[in-house]
Amino acid sequence: MEFLVVMEVSQKQNYIFKTNRLAENIGASILIRSITESLAKEIAVEIEEKYQQTCEIILEGGGKSIYAFTSEECAREFVRRMSRTALEKYPGVELFFARHSYNESSQTIIDAMNSLYQKLEEKKAVRESAFRIFDLGITKQCESTQLPAVAVNESGQYISAESKVKLEVAKEKQGEIFTQLLPAAEGKKYRFANVFAELGGDKDSKSFLALTVIDGNKMGKKIEKFNDIFLKKHSQADCTFNTAYKQEYRALSQKIDGLYKEAMKKTMEHLAINIESLIKRDIITKRVDEDGTIVLPIRPLILAGDDICFVSDARIGLALTKEILLHIEESVLEELDEMKMCACAGIAIVKVRYPFYSAHELAEELCHNAKAALEEGEDESIIDFHIVQGEKEGSLSQIRKEKYKGASLTNKPLYLKKQASKSNTIPVFEEHLKILRSGKIGRSALIGYRTALSNSAGKQFITEKRFKERLKKELGFEMPDSYVNGKCIDFDVLEMLDMYNLLEEV
C-alpha cells in the first residue's frame, strides 16, 4: 500500500494581500513557499530517517504539496508535525490536509490522485468557521491584521504576531527569493523594489500601481491530455507504471514551473536593457542605491507553477504583462504533443494607498473575465485591465454595466496577438494609441472626444468636429473606425494614454 498526503495553504490571497505594507506581502509570499516546499521537505526527510521508510515528493509549490509514504503511520505523523509547526511558528497560516491510500500493485496513481483531490475539495467545502480572538480589551491593535499587537516595528507601529513573522521573514530572506529572475549584466547590479515608494513617484500620473495576476489556460485539460498520452504508453497498472507516472508528472510540473520563471526572467532582462530609455522618456523614476544597485520598478510576489503575481509601476504594468505572456507562448511541451502554452492576465491599476487586498481581488476578477472570453476549443492569451480612479467601484460586472454603458464603451478583454476576425486585440489597441498619442491632436480635443464617448455621443462628436478630416489632413491617413461590432475601441485607449508605455523606444 502507498499513502498519499496533499497539503494546501488555505486562503493564500487573504494571507498575502490583507495589508498595504509591501514588506508584509513579500514575507507572506515567502512563508507560503517555505512551508509547502522547504519545511515540508525537511519534515518528510526526518520522518523517512526515523522510520527507515520511503517518502517521495510528487508535487510541491504554489501553496500545495503532495507526498507519497509507504506507511500510514508516516503519513499521519507528517500531517501532525506540519500542523503543529504551522500553529506554533506561523500565526495566521491555515493548512488543509487530505489522505488517500491505494494498492500500488493493482491500482493506478492517476485514479488515486483524483480521489485525493476529491477528498481535499470535500474537506474545504465543509470547513467549519474559523475562530480567532480579535481583541482582549487591554491590548493595542495591529493595523494590518486587527489582531492584538505583540511588538512594535521599525516605524513605531504596533504589530501582531502574524505581521511580526512576515516582516522578519521578509527582512531575512527577500534577497534570496526571486534573485534568479534578476538580470545578469556585467558591471551592473539590480534588485526588485522593496517598498511601494520605489514603484511610483509624486506626480498624479506616477502615483498608480499595477497589480498583475497571470494564470495558465486550461491546465486541468493539459494534465488530462498528459494522462491520456501516458496511458497509451503504459497500459498495465502496477508498481512500475506508478513509479514512471510519478517521475514524469513531477518532471512536467517542474518544466511548466521553469518555463514561467524563464518568461519572467527574459522580461526582466528586457526591462533592464530599456531602463535608461524609460528614465530618459520620463516614464519611470530613476532609483539607484548607494552602492550603485539599480532598483527595478517591479516586485514579484507569487511565481509558482502557472501562477504569477507581481506589482509594478502602473505606467509599464501592461507592457510587462504583455512581454511575459509573449515569452510563455514561445514554449511548447513535447510531453503534450507540442501543445503551446497560453495564459490570461488581469491588471488592476490603482492608487498607491488603495486597499491592496481589493486590488488583488479585482486583478483576479479581471483574469477570470479574460479566461471567460475564450471561445470553445480556443486557447489564446488574453489580457483584461481596469483603472480605479478613486474608491472601490463595485464588482467588474457592475463597473462595466454602469461606467461603460453595458460594456459597449469598452473593447476589453484584449487578445495578445492579432486575430483575423477580431478587433479586441493588443495590436489594434496599440494602433489606435499611436494615432491618438501622436501629439498633433490637441489635449482638449482628446478630452472632448472622451467626454462625448462617455455620453454615448462619440459618432456625433467625430462628425461635428470633423475629427477624422483633421487627422487625415494633419497626419496623412484615415483614422480607423472607433466602433467595431458595437464595441468602442478608443475609450480604452483614451483611458490608458498616460498608463501604457512600451519598454523599448520606437
Side-chain angles (χ1 to χ4, degrees), residues 22-23 26 170-171 173-185 187-200 264 268-269 271-272 275 284-300 311-313 316 320:
L22 186 55
I26 296 167
K171 187 174 182 179
K173 297 185 177 181
Q174 69 173 316
E176 303 171 15
I177 305 298
F178 301 127
T179 52
Q180 72 273 21
L181 303 177
L182 289 169
K188 292 185 178 180
K189 294 190 298 181
Y190 299 91
R191 71 168 174 83
F192 294 116
N194 291 330
V195 293
F196 287 128
E198 293 177 337
L199 294 170
M264 193 76 173
M268 294 306 98
E269 290 171 348
L271 173 60
I275 197 162
I284 64 171
T285 303
K286 184 175 184 178
R287 287 188 170 84
V288 182
D289 292 340
E290 290 182 1
D291 64 354
T293 299
I294 299 168
V295 181
L296 298 177
I298 179 174
R299 160 52 67 174
V311 60
S312 65
D313 189 311
I316 56 171
L320 290 169

Side-chain angles (χ1 to χ4, degrees), residues 137-372:
I138 57 172
T139 60
K140 292 287 186 179
Q141 194 177 58
C142 171
E143 291 181 13
S144 297
T145 63
Q146 285 73 56
L147 294 170
V150 299
V152 178
N153 65 12
E154 294 176 354
S155 302
Q157 297 167 314
Y158 291 97
I159 56 174
S160 65
E162 179 180 326
S163 294
K164 184 173 181 286
V165 170
K166 290 176 181 177
L167 289 170
E168 288 173 349
V169 169
K171 187 174 182 179
E172 293 172 9
K173 297 185 177 181
Q174 69 173 316
E176 303 171 15
I177 305 298
F178 301 127
T179 52
Q180 72 273 21
L181 303 177
L182 289 169
E186 189 174 347
K188 292 185 178 180
K189 294 190 298 181
Y190 299 91
R191 71 168 174 83
F192 294 116
N194 291 330
V195 293
F196 287 128
E198 293 177 337
L199 294 170
D202 298 325
K203 298 178 183 178
D204 289 341
S205 63
K206 301 178 183 179
S207 61
F208 283 83
L209 304 174
L211 195 154
T212 298
V213 168
I214 296 175
D215 189 33
N217 288 357
K218 304 180 178 180
M219 296 308 295
K221 293 288 184 183
K222 289 179 171 64
I223 296 302
E224 285 180 13
K225 184 167 185 177
F226 168 76
N227 290 344
D228 291 340
I229 293 171
F230 186 87
L231 286 168
K232 288 178 183 177
K233 293 190 298 183
H234 307 79
S235 58
Q236 187 176 358
D238 56 18
C239 293
T240 304
F241 174 100
N242 291 322
T243 299
Y245 181 84
K246 284 184 281 189
Q247 291 173 347
E248 293 187 29
Y249 180 80
R250 186 162 58 244
L252 176 65
S253 299
Q254 291 171 345
K255 187 166 185 178
I256 292 171
D257 182 73
L259 73 86
Y260 273 71
K261 285 185 171 69
E262 184 64 19
M264 193 76 173
K265 182 174 178 59
K266 287 180 178 179
T267 303
M268 294 306 98
E269 290 171 348
H270 192 193
L271 173 60
I273 290 170
N274 291 283
I275 197 162
E276 290 300 328
S277 171
L278 288 165
I279 294 168
K280 191 180 297 183
R281 287 181 278 153
D282 196 31
I283 293 170
I284 64 171
T285 303
K286 184 175 184 178
R287 287 188 170 84
V288 182
D289 292 340
E290 290 182 1
D291 64 354
T293 299
I294 299 168
V295 181
L296 298 177
I298 179 174
R299 160 52 67 174
L301 294 172
I302 298 173
L303 186 56
D306 65 318
D307 292 329
I308 293 177
C309 178
F310 65 89
V311 60
S312 65
D313 189 311
R315 293 160 295 175
I316 56 171
L318 179 52
L320 290 169
T321 304
K322 169 189 164 185
E323 183 94 4
I324 293 168
L325 293 181
L326 285 170
H327 287 308
I328 289 172
E329 286 202 6
E330 290 174 358
S331 306
V332 292
L333 295 174
E334 58 271 15
E335 296 90 343
L336 302 178
D337 290 342
E338 304 299 321
M339 179 181 283
K340 71 173 182 176
M341 298 296 291
C342 293
C344 287
I347 310 171
I349 301 172
V350 301
K351 288 287 186 73
V352 174
R353 296 187 180 278
Y354 189 81
F356 210 48
Y357 182 73
S358 297
H360 182 264
E361 277 190 325
L362 177 58
E364 286 273 9
E365 193 174 2
L366 287 161
C367 185
H368 290 318
N369 197 55
K371 284 178 174 282

Side-chain angles (χ1 to χ4, degrees), residues 1-196:
M1 295 288 287
E2 187 167 70
F3 299 82
L4 302 178
V5 175
V6 59
M7 175 184 69
E8 181 174 296
V9 177
S10 171
Q11 299 182 337
K12 297 184 288 291
Q13 287 77 16
N14 180 58
Y15 183 71
I16 295 173
F17 298 103
K18 68 169 62 173
T19 171
N20 272 38
R21 294 174 184 152
L22 186 55
E24 288 188 37
N25 305 140
I26 296 167
S29 177
I30 295 170
L31 274 172
I32 288 175
R33 181 171 175 172
S34 298
I35 290 169
T36 56
E37 294 181 25
S38 55
L39 176 63
K41 193 179 298 182
E42 178 185 325
I43 289 177
V45 169
E46 290 175 0
I47 291 172
E48 189 176 40
E49 292 175 351
K50 177 182 177 181
Y51 291 96
Q52 293 296 298
Q53 295 192 27
T54 303
C55 167
E56 192 172 4
I57 302 170
I58 298 176
L59 175 71
E60 63 176 357
K64 181 184 295 182
S65 297
I66 299 178
Y67 282 78
F69 299 91
T70 51
S71 77
E72 185 175 11
E73 185 178 18
C74 290
R76 286 182 177 276
E77 179 154 345
F78 177 78
V79 174
R80 281 196 301 269
R81 289 190 58 182
M82 284 298 305
S83 300
R84 187 182 185 91
T85 304
L87 287 169
E88 291 178 345
K89 294 186 177 181
Y90 307 117
V93 173
E94 297 179 352
L95 299 177
F96 275 112
F97 294 90
R99 290 186 293 111
H100 182 75
S101 61
Y102 75 106
N103 189 332
E104 57 184 328
S105 62
S106 60
Q107 296 174 288
T108 70
I109 191 171
I110 297 175
D111 292 335
M113 286 178 64
N114 287 336
S115 298
L116 182 70
Y117 281 127
Q118 185 177 346
K119 285 183 177 180
L120 179 65
E121 292 305 313
E122 288 172 355
K123 179 169 283 191
K124 288 159 67 175
V126 297
R127 173 188 175 182
E128 296 179 1
S129 300
F131 174 77
R132 289 187 185 180
I133 299 175
F134 279 90
D135 193 6
L136 299 177
I138 57 172
T139 60
K140 292 287 186 179
Q141 194 177 58
C142 171
E143 291 181 13
S144 297
T145 63
Q146 285 73 56
L147 294 170
V150 299
V152 178
N153 65 12
E154 294 176 354
S155 302
Q157 297 167 314
Y158 291 97
I159 56 174
S160 65
E162 179 180 326
S163 294
K164 184 173 181 286
V165 170
K166 290 176 181 177
L167 289 170
E168 288 173 349
V169 169
K171 187 174 182 179
E172 293 172 9
K173 297 185 177 181
Q174 69 173 316
E176 303 171 15
I177 305 298
F178 301 127
T179 52
Q180 72 273 21
L181 303 177
L182 289 169
E186 189 174 347
K188 292 185 178 180
K189 294 190 298 181
Y190 299 91
R191 71 168 174 83
F192 294 116
N194 291 330
V195 293
F196 287 128

Side-chain angles (χ1 to χ4, degrees), residues 386-426:
H386 180 70
I387 303 175
V388 180
Q389 297 289 352
E391 299 298 322
K392 188 173 181 181
E393 301 166 299
S395 67
L396 185 62
S397 58
Q398 289 174 320
I399 295 168
R400 299 250 158 112
K401 182 179 180 181
E402 296 170 10
K403 184 177 178 180
Y404 296 96
K405 311 299 179 185
S408 63
L409 263 185
T410 182
N411 205 30
K412 299 175 291 192
L414 305 179
Y415 283 75
L416 178 67
K417 294 182 177 178
K418 192 171 184 178
Q419 304 286 318
S421 60
K422 294 183 174 70
S423 65
N424 57 326
T425 69
I426 292 290

